[in-house]
Amino acid sequence: MPYEIVFSRKAIKELAKIPTQYEEAIKAHIDELAENPRPFGYIQMKGEDAFRVRVGNYRIIYEIQDDILLVYVIRIAHRKDVYD
């Protein structure tokens, strides 16, 4: 059963600013999180309940709520900016 994907306001704004050449790959990866929210290469953020996954030089930061089958996308940003 697939998870529902929900975006924070910040994630929506950040996705709109990403160059078109990377945008499609990021959207495809987010769609894959609905089927498998713990893909190969995902890492839990230290001291947080959030996870991160790499898509080239970009990072998707998200939380997983297994009890209600929800993936909450918190941030999408370039690796140099995402941890601020």
Side-chain angles (χ1 to χ4, degrees):
M1 191 164 185
Y3 284 66
E4 180 182 359
I5 305 289
V6 177
F7 293 87
S8 69
R9 286 185 183 177
K10 188 171 191 166
I12 292 170
K13 289 178 183 179
E14 290 171 335
L15 185 59
K17 294 178 184 177
I18 292 174
T20 310
Q21 62 197 33
Y22 303 110
E23 186 178 356
E24 291 303 317
I26 290 170
K27 285 181 180 178
H29 209 83
I30 291 171
D31 289 340
E32 290 173 12
L33 289 175
E35 294 298 323
N36 181 13
R38 294 173 179 87
F40 179 78
Y42 86 104
I43 295 178
Q44 184 167 6
M45 305 283 289
K46 292 182 181 178
E48 298 182 32
D49 291 333
F51 300 90
R52 81 147 166 90
V53 67
R54 292 174 38 183
V55 181
N57 286 330
Y58 287 85
R59 304 295 184 261
I60 302 169
I61 309 295
Y62 62 99
E63 293 177 346
I64 303 169
Q65 297 179 8
D66 289 313
D67 53 336
I68 57 172
L69 299 178
L70 179 80
V71 172
Y72 183 64
V73 179
I74 301 167
R75 292 203 64 195
I76 305 166
H78 194 275
R79 65 187 178 98
K80 68 178 181 174
D81 302 323
V82 77
Y83 303 111
D84 296 338

